[in-house]
Amino acid sequence: MIMLKQKMTWLGLAIVLVALVVFGAAMMGSVLGSKPKELPVALVILDRPAGLPNGETLAVGEKIRDQMLSNRALPLAWHVVDSEEKAREGLDKREYYGALVLPSDLSSGMLSLSTPSPIHPKVKIIANEGMNAQASTVVRQVLGQAMNLISRELAQQLLGQVGQQTGQVPVETAKAFMAPMNVQEEVVHPPGANHASGNAPGLLIQIMWIGSLVTGVVMFLTSRKAVAAGSRRWTVSALQAIAGLVIAGIASGFTLWMASSWYGMELVNTGEIWLFLWLAGSAFFLLQSSLLNWIGFPAMPLLVLLMFFSLPLLNMAPEFLSQATREWIYSWTPLRFAAEGLREAMYFGGLGAASSNVFVLWGVAGGFLALLLASGLKANHASDAVSTTVIGG
C-alpha cells in the first residue's frame, strides 16, 4: 500500500501511458485503417467500333471507358491517354501505378465470337511494380476483377442477341463466349530477387538512419572529449563532419555488400545506388549531428520520434495515407525523400531517375552542414567571451 501512495508510482504510470500514446500514434496511427484512394492509372482505348448486321455499331471500348470512369467504387484515378507508348512513358516517369490497354480489335473480336472463327481480343493490364509493390498489386487486382465482370456482362448481352436471332446457340459459340477476352498481365520495373517484395529501399534507408545515428552519437562524444582536451571547437566540428561523411560512405558500401552477399539481394547499377545511399546517410548524419551539437543529448528523443513516425510510411504509397498524415508527416520527413529516391535509383535507371530527391537531400545535407559548423563558431565565441572576462577581471 505504501507503493500506491508514492507520487512516483502514479507519475510512472502517466509516463508509460503517454509513451504508449505517442509511439502508438507513430507505429499504428498512419498504418492501421489505411485504404487506397485515387491511385493514378492510365487508360488506353485503341478500339475501333465494329458494324452490326442491323446497321448499328458496337463500341466495346467506349462502353468499358464509360463504366470505368463512372464507377466511383474503384480506388482509381483514371488518366485517359491516346497510345500505349504514352502510357508506358508515364509508367517510366512514375506517373501511374498501372495501365489498362484496350486493343484495336476489341469490338470486332467480340462480334467474331458468334462466328466459326472466333477471335479473342487481348486486353493488357500493366502493373508498375517498382513504383510501389502494394499499390501495383491493388491496381492489378482491381483491374482484373473489373475486366472479368465487364467481359461477362458483354458476353451475356451478345449471347442473348445471338439466341434471339438463331433461336439456339451452338456449343462452340457458347464456349467462345465463356472467355470472350484474353486478359494479359504485365509487370514493368520489377524489383530484383530478394527485395522483400519491393520493400528493399525502405529497409536500406532504415538501416542507414540507424547507422548514421550511431555514428552521430560516437562523433558527438569524441568531439566533446577533443574540446575538453583543448582543441578549438570550430576545428573539431569541421573534423566531426568530415569523419562522419567518410564513415557514411563506408557504411553505405558495407550495407549494400551485406545485402547482396549475405542475403542475396539482386542489385543493378550498384555504383549509383551506393552513391545515393551515401548521400542519404550523409544527410542523416549531418541532421543528427547538428541537433546533437546544438541541443545535446536531449535531441535524442526528437530523433527517435522522427524515426518512429517516419518508418511506417517508407513503403506505403501516399494514396494509402490519410490526409493528415500526408500533410503533417509524409510531406516533409527526410526519410521519405531518401526512400523514394533510392526506389527510383534501384528500379528506374539510376541517379538520373532520382534527380528531384537527390536535390532535396543535397539541400538537407548542405543546410545541416552549415548548422553543424555554426555550432563550433558559437561555442568559440562563448569561450572567447569567458576568456576575456577572466583576463579583464
Side-chain angles (χ1 to χ4, degrees):
M1 296 298 295
I2 297 178
M3 288 289 293
L4 296 179
K5 296 179 180 180
Q6 298 295 321
K7 294 182 179 180
M8 185 59 66
T9 300
W10 299 107
L11 178 61
L13 176 61
I15 294 174
V16 170
L17 294 177
V18 170
L20 291 176
V21 169
V22 173
F23 286 99
M27 301 303 294
M28 296 187 294
S30 58
V31 177
L32 297 183
S34 61
K35 296 180 181 179
K37 302 176 291 293
E38 297 185 348
L39 297 170
V41 176
L43 177 60
V44 183
I45 304 172
L46 305 176
D47 180 47
R48 293 191 295 267
L52 296 170
N54 59 7
E56 298 180 356
T57 58
L58 176 65
V60 176
E62 288 301 319
K63 288 185 177 181
I64 294 177
R65 177 184 182 276
D66 293 340
Q67 290 190 36
M68 290 292 191
L69 297 182
S70 62
N71 191 344
R72 302 300 180 186
L74 298 179
L76 307 178
W78 293 103
H79 297 261
V80 180
V81 295
D82 55 13
S83 69
E84 184 176 344
E85 290 73 19
K86 289 184 179 180
R88 291 185 179 275
E89 289 178 5
L91 294 171
D92 294 339
K93 295 178 180 178
R94 286 84 64 199
E95 296 174 357
Y96 313 125
Y97 290 106
L100 176 64
V101 182
L102 305 180
S104 59
D105 62 346
L106 182 57
S107 296
S108 59
M110 294 294 291
L111 286 179
S112 72
L113 297 178
S114 60
T115 67
S117 302
I119 300 174
H120 297 271
K122 297 179 181 179
V123 175
K124 290 183 182 179
I125 295 176
I126 306 174
N128 196 0
E129 197 166 280
M131 190 172 175
N132 185 274
Q134 184 182 19
S136 66
T137 298
V138 171
V139 168
R140 186 165 61 242
Q141 292 176 346
V142 169
L143 292 182
Q145 293 172 0
M147 289 308 303
N148 286 334
L149 290 174
I150 292 173
S151 64
R152 284 201 296 267
E153 291 177 2
L154 290 171
Q156 290 176 0
Q157 294 175 7
L158 293 174
L159 192 60
Q161 294 177 3
V162 172
Q164 291 176 358
Q165 295 172 0
T166 62
Q168 59 182 357
V169 179
V171 175
E172 295 300 323
T173 301
K175 289 182 179 179
F177 276 106
M178 291 179 64
M181 304 178 190
N182 288 327
V183 179
Q184 297 181 338
E185 294 187 359
E186 179 185 350
V187 173
V188 295
H189 303 290
N194 298 322
H195 274 242
S197 300
N199 294 326
L203 294 176
L204 292 173
I205 290 302
Q206 293 177 34
I207 294 171
M208 286 305 300
W209 173 269
I210 296 172
S212 299
L213 184 58
V214 173
T215 304
V217 171
V218 171
M219 290 294 101
F220 173 66
L221 294 174
T222 303
S223 65
R224 289 177 63 177
K225 290 184 178 180
V227 171
S231 299
R232 291 183 60 84
R233 181 61 188 173
W234 190 90
T235 303
V236 171
S237 297
L239 292 176
Q240 179 184 1
I242 294 172
L245 296 178
V246 172
I247 293 175
I250 297 172
S252 58
F254 179 80
T255 300
L256 289 180
W257 174 81
M258 179 175 62
S260 60
S261 299
W262 293 6
Y263 305 110
M265 184 182 293
E266 183 181 4
L267 297 174
V268 182
N269 298 322
T270 306
E272 295 189 13
I273 295 173
W274 168 62
L275 289 175
F276 184 90
L277 204 59
W278 187 359
L279 173 61
S282 299
F284 294 162
F285 166 77
L286 293 170
L287 182 156
Q288 296 158 352
S289 295
S290 62
L291 291 180
L292 287 169
N293 278 21
W294 280 94
I295 305 175
F297 278 111
M300 288 298 295
L302 298 176
L303 297 172
V304 172
L305 284 176
L306 174 59
M307 179 181 70
F308 276 100
F309 272 95
S310 301
L311 293 188
L313 311 180
L314 298 186
N315 291 317
M316 293 186 68
E319 289 81 6
F320 281 72
L321 304 175
S322 66
Q323 189 68 24
T325 301
R326 291 179 65 173
E327 292 180 355
W328 291 97
I329 303 176
Y330 183 83
S331 62
W332 61 267
T333 174
L335 283 85
R336 162 246 170 159
F337 293 103
E340 281 189 359
L342 185 59
R343 179 177 299 277
E344 292 165 344
M346 294 178 73
Y347 304 145
F348 290 89
L351 289 176
S355 57
S356 60
N357 288 301
V358 167
F359 179 78
V360 171
L361 291 177
W362 271 114
V364 172
F368 282 101
L369 174 61
L371 284 176
L372 179 60
L373 297 177
S375 67
L377 292 175
K378 179 181 179 182
N380 280 336
H381 289 321
S383 300
D384 293 342
V386 172
S387 301
T388 303
T389 301
V390 173
I391 294 172

